[in-house]
Amino acid sequence: MTEQSTDTPAAAPQYVEGERITGAQALIRSLEMEGVDTMFGYPGGCILPAYDPMLDSPIRHVLVRHEQGAGHMAEGYAHVTGRPGVAMVTSGPAATNLVTPLMDAFMDSIPMVAITGQVPTAAIGSDAFQECDTVGITRSCTKHNELVMTSQGLPMAIRQAFHIATTGRPGPTLVDVPKDVLVSEMEWYWPTDEEVLASLPGYRPNMKGHPRMIKEAAKLILDSERPVIYAGGGILKARAAEALARLVELTGIHVVTTLMARGAFPDDHELNLGMPGMHGNATAVTAMQRADLLVALGSRFDDRITGKVDAFAPQAKVIHVDIDPAEQGKVRKPDVPIVGDARLVIEEIIDEIKSLRAAGVTQADTRAWKSKVSGWQEQFPMTYQQSQPGAALKPQYCIEQLRDLAPDKTIVASGVGQHQMFASQYWHFNDPYTWVNSGGLGTMGFSIPAAIGAKAAMPDRTVWAIDGDGCFQMTAQELVTATLEGLPIKVALLNNSYLGMVRQWQEMFYDERYSSVFLDSAALPDFVMMAESMGCAAIRVESPEEVGPAIEKANSINDRPVVVEFRTEAAEGVFPMVPAGASNDDVILHPTQQDRKGGLA
Amino acid sequence: MSRVRDYGTNTYPQNGFNHHILSVLVQNRPGVLARVSGLFARRGYNIFSLAVAPAEQEGMSRITIVVDLDSAPLEQITKQLFKLIDVIKISELDPAQSVERELMIATVKANGALRVELQTLTQIFEGKILAVSEDNLTLSIEGHPDKLDDFEELLDSHGIVELQRTGRVALPKLDRSSRLRVAN
């Protein structure tokens, strides 16, 4: 069964078919027709023709300071809206600067459309100025890419790019447009849905689950005494958070939400065990290990979740729901594979459970399991020790304060490293699409541009970027973009002067031999001066009693971006931790809990 | 030299060669071969042979790929292949249920008496002599890849100067019902 819509927005502008316009005009019109309201970009030689009609277009163009920023902004926009983010840059170095965000979006299944300029068709292959093989370079970091060789082909290429980026398992697509294709004329047309589908005979994502598999899944769920729902990023991609909540209400099954699924199920719900995986909490990790059934919904058994695969959830049967057939059996062989859209499949499973119950089938007794799980939750909560007077701040404390003082539905974007794990562990995500992070690729420097993209999409929301001193120095120049474009994000910079996660690994696994990990960021740069030079308000915080007031002050500033630099403790580690390649049974708890670890047996 | 083989029954005696044939129907568009071969490289699988040419439908090509893999990774690679937008259909051809052919041309040293011997050998294998020079012969042979392997082994003792094989192409064997369908 396939169900497809190419989703042309109802309010698309009306243009006259057959009108003679340039390829550049056709490109911008096509973006308008796809419902693009905001795009992120940077002009240059080969893409120049496309920037002229931008002046007459209602599309907002956010002028970035580095093409990588444009890519991550497009991702941030897509994370919080579910609509494809659009980045437009020129050829050569601009296109190669997009490679990191494209791969990031590919790993995290983020819908994104990249438009790159290319040297004129006659010059392709001649090593012309700013030429690179963009489609070749981006082939393995896009869901699909296309070099458009004629102006007449532009509308179809754009429609295909949006259709492919947003349907099935979402992902990034790229359209490479030579300069002469932008300059020469074409007769305007807009392909119909049927024409788009006919042009892609090899692309028909499966949406609905197989009825026999749905039946088996429902039976298995009712039969299991120790079931756990393993919710992944696919829940958010499929807009399935509400369906998931109904499934949980119906069955009373515990849920773990992966790093990519934070917010897909409310953290304040008693059945949410929190994040599993390498830095997941002890209960989430252990519940998966001891489960007799894992209901994997839009999750992909990433190595950060499973630990040592052979030792992962050894007694569990697996129901694996994923829209991507290649995820079935890639890591763990499922007992019930279901290829389909998470929302549709969850709804089908709910209906099946209801009809089984109506036919008198009862659910297995899960009370013993539930009391065991509550016991773990009581004994092994997330914990850290408050800093001694005069010592550096604890990063966890800063994040707790940020969380408690944040307005409702605040969006949090994070970089990659310790601060990312602390943010995921200590924030309470109660709404979907409020957590923006780089999960699969682990791209340092993601948070500031991603937060800017999120703010552009949701200007009325508070957007906090939680960043580290390493990440901040990779992409901080985009704060200029934020100031000049009127996108007042807030940055919580947890400055511990180190690459904290690398330092933690060197401490634990390399005998405390610290190699190339000390950034000395308490000395340089002066983050307050740096932020102020980019038009931001900036506050430095060094003691616990300053934390709350500084955050309140930051929350009250809305006319420009704010950077709050927290001087944090370098020796603080992220716990719990499952060392890379170890079994989840060998989770290392916080030092204050490790001696009680037997309680997890 | 002492190996005797019935080329019709498709036995594969090569040690440790876990051979699968994928027949991949693709849209014939720029870069499609790069997409397919790039995927194999990216996932760490080696292509043993590859043959590409336009297929019966306009705008389509058929790629015949021979890989050396266990079944589990093969399933993963076909699923990954199928995610390529330009890939329309993938069939794994069971060697026992398919017909396979390959073409080889080879230039071999052929001085004096050797020349007659090579001529006889080529006749036995139903090959052809394509070109002749004072010292060399260029031969061609078509057939089941195993037959080509044997011929190549025999030529090797004479001294191969240059050799090119096309890589195998394959289609499913016709069973009775499909023969009827074709007849209709």
Side-chain angles (χ1 to χ4, degrees):
Chain A
M1 295 287 289
T2 53
E3 205 176 77
Q4 291 219 322
S5 150
T6 51
D7 289 333
T8 298
Q14 299 293 312
Y15 288 113
V16 182
E17 294 264 323
E19 188 186 347
R20 286 199 70 80
I21 57 174
T22 65
Q25 289 172 307
L27 170 67
I28 303 305
R29 276 189 186 185
S30 299
L31 297 175
E32 291 170 13
M33 294 293 287
E34 287 291 350
V36 175
D37 55 15
T38 308
M39 57 199 274
F40 307 90
Y42 204 89
C46 290
I47 198 69
L48 259 173
Y51 271 84
D52 188 68
M54 279 301 292
L55 286 172
D56 306 319
S57 171
I59 297 175
R60 175 181 189 185
H61 181 272
V62 174
L63 176 61
V64 302
R65 290 299 177 273
H66 187 287
E67 290 90 353
Q68 184 189 354
H72 292 320
M73 286 178 207
E75 287 186 270
Y77 176 97
H79 261 277
V80 297
T81 61
R83 297 199 302 273
V86 180
M88 182 163 82
V89 303
T90 194
S91 62
T96 56
N97 280 339
L98 264 191
V99 167
T100 299
L102 286 170
M103 191 64 212
D104 192 271
F106 198 31
M107 289 286 266
D108 287 346
S109 307
I110 306 300
M112 170 179 168
V113 176
I115 317 279
T116 49
Q118 183 54 278
V119 300
T121 48
I124 289 178
S126 72
D127 302 319
F129 177 66
Q130 291 194 329
E131 182 185 4
C132 75
D133 175 14
T134 303
V135 290
I137 289 168
T138 60
R139 200 169 277 136
S140 60
C141 58
T142 53
K143 186 172 170 187
H144 192 62
N145 62 15
E146 206 67 63
L147 170 65
V148 183
M149 292 298 276
T150 65
S151 312
Q152 201 61 33
L154 268 168
M156 179 60 99
I158 296 294
R159 283 220 67 181
Q160 290 175 336
F162 277 80
H163 177 62
I164 292 167
T166 54
T167 52
R169 179 177 183 170
T173 55
L174 180 142
V175 182
D176 198 23
V177 192
K179 189 171 191 178
D180 58 322
V181 170
L182 291 171
V183 171
S184 56
E185 287 198 342
M186 55 87 71
E187 285 179 13
W188 170 253
Y189 74 107
W190 188 239
T192 63
D193 288 3
E194 293 70 33
E195 285 166 339
V196 176
L197 294 183
S199 72
L200 299 168
Y203 181 70
R204 296 288 182 271
N206 195 61
M207 298 293 282
K208 286 189 168 179
H210 191 288
R212 189 164 53 81
M213 292 295 150
I214 299 285
K215 277 200 173 67
E216 281 191 34
K219 268 192 236 159
L220 208 48
I221 287 170
L222 290 182
D223 272 353
S224 300
E225 292 171 1
R226 305 191 306 280
V228 174
I229 292 174
Y230 159 31
I235 294 287
L236 295 170
K237 304 303 176 329
R239 321 307 279 183
E242 195 250 344
L244 172 62
R246 278 190 284 130
L247 178 66
V248 176
E249 290 309 321
L250 182 69
T251 56
I253 299 179
H254 287 120
V255 182
V256 299
T257 50
T258 69
L259 182 66
M260 292 310 297
R262 305 291 289 128
F265 188 71
D267 274 337
D268 64 8
H269 194 288
E270 58 171 0
L271 288 169
N272 193 341
L273 304 181
M275 180 174 76
M278 181 175 269
H279 291 296
N281 75 72
T283 304
V285 171
T286 307
M288 287 180 95
Q289 280 305 91
R290 307 274 181 272
D292 67 349
L293 175 67
L294 291 180
V295 186
L297 303 174
S299 45
R300 60 180 178 90
F301 295 84
D302 181 79
D303 57 86
R304 260 31 183 181
I305 297 293
T306 61
K308 189 180 175 196
V309 175
D310 298 340
F312 174 65
Q315 295 133 38
K317 291 196 169 177
V318 171
I319 298 168
H320 193 176
V321 178
D322 203 296
I323 198 159
D324 179 356
E327 290 302 337
Q328 303 286 352
K330 187 181 83 178
V331 176
R332 169 82 173 236
K333 195 178 176 328
D335 298 273
V336 184
I338 304 178
V339 177
D341 172 81
R343 184 176 63 78
L344 294 178
V345 172
I346 292 171
E347 284 167 357
E348 287 161 345
I349 291 176
I350 288 173
D351 289 345
E352 187 59 33
I353 289 176
K354 282 181 178 166
S355 54
L356 283 173
R357 282 191 177 163
V361 178
T362 53
Q363 188 166 358
D365 188 352
T366 59
R367 279 174 299 184
W369 168 247
K370 283 191 174 165
S371 83
K372 196 160 207 178
V373 171
S374 331
W376 295 331
Q377 281 181 303
E378 266 168 45
Q379 279 190 77
F380 303 100
M382 292 301 310
T383 188
Y384 67 95
Q385 285 177 308
Q386 216 21 293
S387 53
Q388 299 298 315
L393 296 166
K394 286 299 176 84
Q396 299 97 323
Y397 174 72
C398 301
I399 287 170
E400 282 183 329
Q401 290 289 300
L402 278 167
R403 174 196 72 199
D404 294 342
L405 295 169
D408 208 25
K409 298 199 174 181
T410 291
I411 292 166
V412 184
S414 93
V416 168
Q418 282 190 323
H419 65 277
Q420 174 190 29
M421 291 298 111
F422 289 135
S424 179
Q425 290 175 334
Y426 284 90
W427 203 273
H428 293 164
F429 294 100
N430 287 320
D431 297 288
Y433 315 110
T434 55
W435 170 239
V436 180
N437 96 126
S438 166
L441 194 64
T443 306
M444 284 181 67
F446 178 78
S447 73
I448 288 175
I452 293 170
K455 185 73 179 172
M458 304 269 181
D460 299 332
R461 295 272 197 93
T462 298
V463 180
W464 270 104
I466 296 180
D467 221 358
D469 48 308
C471 283
F472 186 90
Q473 293 182 72
M474 287 196 174
T475 51
Q477 78 276 11
E478 296 305 343
L479 286 170
V480 177
T481 308
T483 301
L484 294 179
E485 294 276 349
L487 298 167
I489 62 161
K490 304 177 199 306
V491 182
L493 169 54
L494 302 176
N495 178 7
N496 67 354
S497 297
Y498 275 90
L499 293 171
M501 190 61 89
V502 178
R503 188 194 177 284
Q504 182 174 347
W505 283 47
Q506 290 181 344
E507 178 185 336
M508 294 174 72
F509 310 121
Y510 292 88
D511 285 336
E512 299 180 38
R513 286 161 54 84
Y514 298 112
S515 174
S516 297
V517 70
F518 180 52
L519 296 178
D520 206 0
S521 346
L524 278 179
D526 182 323
F527 287 115
V528 168
M529 281 173 69
M530 187 179 175
E532 284 173 345
S533 78
M534 293 186 281
C536 306
I539 308 166
R540 179 173 293 131
V541 180
E542 288 173 295
S543 66
E545 62 278 6
E546 296 170 344
V547 170
I551 293 169
E552 278 175 339
K553 186 175 174 203
N555 280 334
S556 71
I557 298 173
N558 286 309
D559 60 342
R560 63 211 143 119
V562 190
V563 174
V564 186
E565 180 198 0
F566 299 96
R567 291 288 175 91
T568 60
E569 172 58 53
E572 190 67 15
V574 184
F575 292 102
M577 179 178 192
V578 180
S583 159
N584 284 349
D585 289 329
D586 301 326
V587 57
I588 301 168
L589 301 179
H590 189 269
T592 59
Q593 296 176 337
Q594 184 65 11
D595 58 338
R596 295 185 270 130
K597 207 194 142 195
L600 284 173
Chain B
M1 295 276 259
S2 59
R3 280 189 297 168
V4 179
R5 220 182 254 163
D6 170 359
Y7 298 118
T9 56
N10 293 292
T11 49
Y12 288 88
Q14 294 101 318
N15 286 337
F17 183 62
N18 200 347
H19 139 275
H20 295 268
I21 312 163
L22 295 178
S23 177
V24 185
L25 188 68
V26 297
Q27 278 187 289
N28 186 2
R29 307 179 64 204
V32 65
L33 186 59
R35 289 183 204 279
V36 169
S37 58
L39 186 71
F40 276 80
R42 148 93 175 80
R43 302 270 165 189
Y45 301 129
N46 197 20
I47 295 175
F48 180 78
S49 82
L50 181 90
V52 199
E56 65 284 355
Q57 290 156 272
E58 204 181 318
M60 302 287 172
S61 286
R62 184 167 277 109
I63 307 180
T64 308
I65 308 170
V66 178
V67 285
D68 177 12
L69 279 180
D70 290 334
S71 294
L74 183 75
E75 186 186 327
Q76 179 60 209
I77 201 86
T78 54
K79 283 174 170 175
Q80 294 290 356
L81 262 184
F82 200 60
K83 282 165 70 172
L84 296 179
I85 307 294
D86 293 335
V87 171
I88 308 293
K89 191 180 165 193
I90 305 170
S91 335
E92 194 201 339
L93 300 178
D94 177 352
Q97 299 299 324
S98 46
V99 283
E100 299 169 61
R101 282 295 176 271
E102 192 174 0
L103 174 71
M104 173 170 86
I105 54 177
T107 297
V108 278
K109 286 182 193 147
N111 295 322
L114 277 179
R115 189 170 287 247
V116 180
E117 198 182 316
L118 273 170
Q119 224 175 323
T120 316
L121 198 60
T122 307
Q123 260 170 14
I124 294 170
F125 277 82
E126 296 174 310
K128 288 189 182 121
I129 295 169
L130 301 181
V132 185
S133 77
E134 220 161 277
D135 303 320
N136 299 325
L137 286 176
T138 299
L139 312 169
S140 83
I141 170 179
E142 169 275 333
H144 193 278
D146 289 350
K147 174 175 155 184
L148 270 59
D149 287 347
D150 287 355
F151 190 56
E152 186 179 334
E153 196 179 314
L154 291 165
L155 290 184
D156 205 25
S157 55
H158 293 279
I160 296 169
V161 180
E162 270 185 292
L163 180 141
Q164 173 68 58
R165 293 172 66 152
T166 57
R168 74 185 77 193
V169 292
L171 285 175
K173 250 184 205 167
L174 298 176
D175 60 21
R176 181 159 304 178
S177 53
S178 63
R179 206 176 295 141
L180 285 173
R181 270 206 304 280
V182 171
N184 289 338

